[in-house]
Amino acid sequence: MIKSIYTNTSRWQDRHTKRETGCIQLNLLKKRILQTIFIFLMCSMPSAVIAGAWIPKPANGYAKIWLKWLPGLDYLDGQGNLIPYGQYHELFLNGYVEVGLLPSLGAWIHFPMLRNFWLEDHPSGSMKHHITIGDPAIGLRWGLVEKQRIRISVELGGRMPLASGEPVQKIFNKNSPNKQIGNLRIGRGVWELQGSILLGYTWDWIYIGMSVGYIFMSNQFDGVINWTTETGFQLRKLWHMRIRITGWHPLGNGNAAYHDTVSGLGNGTGYAGFSLEVDYNFLPKWFVGVCIEGGLFRVRRQTTGPVISPYVAFQF
């Protein structure tokens, strides 16, 4: 009897210990998931409009206008160190249009209409406001392969510098002894030329796409490898979702100095990030939605913080 009681008690303790261990492991897993989501949202990436491999029919197209808000958190320097620097906000107004010109040939334009930057001043603690027009970009896309569900295209584009590339405000470490960590820049101040190859494949309710390109920058800035991979699908009859991962990687082949700037608008900025986009088809050919962006890894020389962009789009 004593042996039986001891055996049952031992089994109960063993089961109880396993349950406790399982609960601890589950709590640790939940904690890690929450930490990962938080890190994703902390790391921001500059908004980029990247057209897919599909080309609209002649005179058809797509137009979109959106408002980008970035509440900055900490700064990630060139070594990946997080540095507190005070309050920072960006508020941009952007537009994008793509249109079919000829069969298998389309054009697009991205026009950043207005950029607002607010950065806390040291040591006064007041917020300084900087406003500028953005740098417009234009490009052509040519369809190489357009067979049934698959698309392969090439794209050539350029961006013209309208915003100043000069520093407009000093940035200081919020912690004592409050050393300067960089300068706020509200533009790169360089010409950009990009060539890309794009691939897309579609099913009845879902598609996948990817692209890789090279960006040449003037003023001896580093060239950049830019890549994307994405998928989109229909949630319900009028709801759609897109998930995109993108990378921006300087090659170190320029002679210009690297810039430490919270806006990321300088030489040497790099990242791999994601975006999650959901929209609703509220009227025929009209869409309203929101895009949330964040960093994944290798985020360098820019602020952290989530990017939130509500938008309205129209198909024609």
Side-chain angles (χ1 to χ4, degrees):
M1 178 66 68
I2 293 175
K3 184 177 180 181
S4 176
I5 293 174
Y6 175 78
T7 302
N8 291 337
T9 303
S10 177
R11 289 174 179 171
W12 179 86
Q13 289 175 339
D14 185 56
R15 289 196 300 269
H16 184 67
T17 301
K18 287 182 179 179
R19 283 198 298 269
E20 287 185 333
T21 303
C23 290
I24 291 172
Q25 291 176 342
L26 182 60
N27 288 334
L28 286 173
L29 179 60
K30 290 179 179 178
K31 185 177 180 180
R32 287 174 182 172
I33 291 173
L34 290 174
Q35 286 175 339
T36 303
I37 293 172
F38 180 70
I39 290 172
F40 282 3
L41 290 177
M42 280 184 65
C43 301
S44 71
M45 54 176 253
S47 289
V49 176
I50 304 170
W54 290 268
I55 298 172
K57 294 179 181 180
N60 292 354
Y62 176 81
K64 178 178 178 181
I65 187 168
W66 72 98
L67 195 65
K68 169 198 163 185
W69 174 48
L70 164 61
L73 298 177
D74 293 329
Y75 177 68
L76 270 167
D77 66 11
Q79 289 71 48
N81 301 311
L82 279 172
I83 304 173
Y85 64 91
Q87 296 185 65
Y88 176 70
H89 291 271
E90 293 178 3
L91 190 64
F92 295 178
L93 180 62
N94 293 274
Y96 174 81
V97 176
E98 64 177 79
V99 61
L101 301 177
L102 298 169
S104 302
L105 180 66
W108 57 266
I109 181 170
H110 171 217
F111 43 99
M113 292 174 276
L114 199 62
R115 289 177 172 176
N116 292 276
F117 304 81
W118 290 269
L119 175 63
E120 183 178 344
D121 182 51
H122 179 81
S124 68
S126 61
M127 297 291 287
K128 286 191 174 181
H129 179 216
H130 309 273
I131 187 170
T132 181
I133 190 173
D135 298 335
I138 190 168
L140 293 173
R141 195 179 326 126
W142 176 41
L144 295 178
V145 177
E146 297 180 334
K147 292 185 177 180
Q148 297 179 342
R149 298 177 181 270
I150 192 169
R151 296 291 186 273
I152 300 176
S153 303
V154 293
E155 188 171 274
L156 295 175
R159 188 174 296 275
M160 180 174 61
L162 295 183
S164 170
E166 297 299 317
V168 296
Q169 186 178 342
K170 294 180 179 179
I171 308 168
F172 293 91
N173 190 324
K174 194 173 182 179
N175 294 334
S176 182
N178 306 118
K179 292 183 178 180
Q180 183 178 350
I181 60 174
N183 296 284
L184 174 62
R185 295 174 185 269
I186 58 176
R188 285 195 180 90
V190 299
W191 289 86
E192 301 177 25
L193 298 175
Q194 178 172 358
S196 303
I197 184 166
L198 307 95
L199 172 67
Y201 190 91
T202 181
W203 289 271
D204 292 336
W205 61 279
I206 187 173
Y207 79 91
I208 57 173
M210 58 189 67
S211 70
V212 62
Y214 175 77
I215 302 174
F216 166 81
M217 298 192 186
S218 64
N219 295 359
Q220 299 187 6
F221 275 37
D222 283 2
V224 173
I225 294 294
N226 184 32
W227 57 268
T228 69
T229 180
E230 66 181 271
T231 182
F233 47 90
Q234 188 169 341
L235 295 174
R236 299 180 65 182
K237 185 177 181 180
L238 300 176
W239 289 89
H240 307 86
M241 176 182 287
R242 285 168 293 278
I243 301 170
R244 178 183 295 123
I245 300 175
T246 184
W248 177 281
H249 308 290
L251 297 179
N253 57 350
N255 295 320
Y258 283 167
H259 300 134
D260 281 296
T261 177
V262 292
S263 66
L265 296 171
N267 190 30
T269 295
Y271 63 84
F274 78 98
S275 66
L276 173 65
E277 194 171 315
V278 178
D279 62 42
Y280 175 66
N281 187 189
F282 68 99
L283 287 174
K285 299 185 177 182
W286 283 91
F287 301 82
V288 61
V290 64
C291 179
I292 298 175
E293 300 169 87
L296 291 175
F297 55 88
R298 296 296 298 175
V299 182
R300 297 292 186 268
R301 295 186 176 88
Q302 61 181 313
T303 188
T304 62
V307 177
I308 303 168
S309 303
Y311 63 86
V312 175
F314 173 70
Q315 287 181 323
F316 57 89

